[in-house]
């Protein structure tokens, strides 16, 4: 079966890109990366892509007069690449409504919280201030409104009483690195369909047991 062609959009470190690169190296993984696009030049994610022998492009948002012009350039490059699925992986630009509509259900994002909680920036800071016992990450189809859209995969991550933003970010990132390849695999295998704005997954395994985290105060 032909592998689904991915375009991965980054703006920075690219650890999620790396997780997708690693997954695509597996011979039976049903997707391959056709192109990596960065909205910023010189970011570590571009080095990862180059090191893996992938085609890369920089579409520097600063070179465009507005968002629509940037999105038009992005759209052209994506269409040329033959990508069937676009994966936002730490891509720091808000996309226009027209772009989100024209890639509807072929455009996915990863967000470092259990959406719809903690949408937007500083998700970990806000999870810590709220005292939640779990946070996590979400892979979802993109809609024009930020951090909205049908949820494909989530992972729950416990919050520890002595967590800092950094320790929590690391724990969530390692969950992200499992969730993104899984979501891409499910889509590439044709097991995901969106009905009434809910993503339905054919043949997914779900643990039945609840995980409890009262969170010990450790002498506080
Ligand atoms: C991740 O936490 C992702 O959820 C968010 O941006 C971060 C990107 O990290 N959208 P990386 O560049 O993949 O390491």
């Amino acid at each position: 079966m032909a592998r689904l062609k991915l375009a991965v959009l980054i703006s920075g470190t690219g650890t999620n890109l790396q997780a997708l690169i690693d997954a695509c190296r597996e011979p039976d993984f049903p997707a391959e990366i056709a192109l990596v696009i960065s909205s910023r030049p010189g970011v570590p994610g571009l080095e990862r892509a180059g090191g893996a022998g992938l085609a890369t492009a920089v579409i520097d948002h600063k070179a465009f007069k507005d968002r629509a012009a940037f999105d038009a350039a992005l759209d052209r490059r994506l269409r040329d690449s033959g990508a069937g699925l676009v994966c936002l992986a730490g891509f720091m630009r808000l996309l226009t409504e027209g772009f989100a509509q024209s890639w509807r259900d072929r455009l996915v994002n990863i967000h470092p919280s259990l959406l719809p909680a903690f949408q937007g920036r500083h998700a970990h800071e806000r999870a810590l201030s709220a005292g939640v016992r779990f946070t996590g990450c979400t892979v979802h189809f993109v809609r024009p409104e930020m951090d909205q859209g049908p949820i494909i995969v989530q992972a729950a991550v416990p919050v520890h009483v002595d967590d800092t933003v950094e320790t929590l970010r690391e724990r969530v990132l390692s969950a992200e690195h499992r969730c993104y390849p899984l979501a891409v695999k499910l889509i590439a295998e044709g097991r995901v369909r969106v009905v009434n704005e809910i993503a339905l997954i054919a043949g997914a395994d779900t643990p039945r047991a609840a995980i409890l985290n009262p969170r010990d105060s450790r002498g506080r």
Side-chain angles (χ1 to χ4, degrees):
M1 206 176 94
R3 299 170 104 202
L4 177 65
K5 283 191 165 74
L6 309 177
V8 185
L9 271 49
I10 61 167
S11 303
T13 320
T15 64
N16 279 289
L17 164 66
Q18 188 67 56
L20 292 171
I21 292 172
D22 295 344
C24 289
R25 284 205 178 106
E26 298 298 320
D28 57 351
F29 194 74
E32 63 188 354
I33 300 175
L35 178 64
V36 174
I37 299 179
S38 175
S39 64
R40 291 185 189 144
V43 296
L46 281 171
E47 268 166 50
R48 294 177 191 272
L54 298 172
T56 61
V58 174
I59 304 184
D60 188 348
H61 63 93
K62 292 200 187 110
F64 295 87
K65 69 173 188 330
D66 56 22
R67 229 194 268 167
F70 173 79
D71 283 9
L74 193 59
D75 186 69
R76 260 194 312 278
R77 199 72 185 73
L78 289 171
R79 290 190 194 279
D80 288 350
S81 75
L85 181 69
V86 178
C87 302
L88 307 182
F91 185 69
M92 297 304 284
R93 307 305 303 164
L94 268 182
L95 297 163
T96 53
E97 176 163 2
F99 184 93
Q101 293 298 11
S102 74
W103 288 90
R104 192 181 174 89
D105 297 344
R106 291 178 303 144
L107 176 61
V108 292
N109 180 45
I110 187 155
H111 183 77
S113 75
L114 288 172
L115 289 175
F118 309 122
Q119 301 170 18
R121 292 168 63 85
H122 308 301
H124 302 310
E125 285 86 336
R126 288 186 289 134
L128 288 175
S129 329
V132 293
R133 271 38 175 168
F134 288 96
T135 184
C137 60
T138 304
V139 182
H140 63 97
F141 287 112
V142 172
R143 294 294 181 258
E145 309 76 34
M146 190 172 64
D147 299 329
Q148 305 286 318
I151 292 167
I152 305 160
V153 176
Q154 291 187 309
V157 171
V159 182
H160 299 169
V161 74
D162 52 359
D163 265 333
T164 61
V165 170
E166 287 67 37
T167 58
L168 186 57
R169 177 178 291 121
E170 278 308 305
R171 193 172 313 117
V172 171
L173 264 179
S174 59
E176 291 183 38
H177 301 158
R178 293 167 60 205
C179 280
Y180 222 163
L182 172 60
V184 167
K185 179 175 188 286
L186 293 169
I187 294 168
E189 289 174 346
R191 291 161 62 186
V192 183
R193 69 200 160 94
V194 177
V195 178
N196 296 331
E197 285 298 87
I198 303 284
L200 303 178
I201 318 278
D205 291 326
T206 299
R208 293 280 155 188
I211 310 163
L212 306 185
N213 181 20
R215 199 172 80 163
D216 183 72
S217 62
R218 304 212 185 141
R220 276 198 193 172

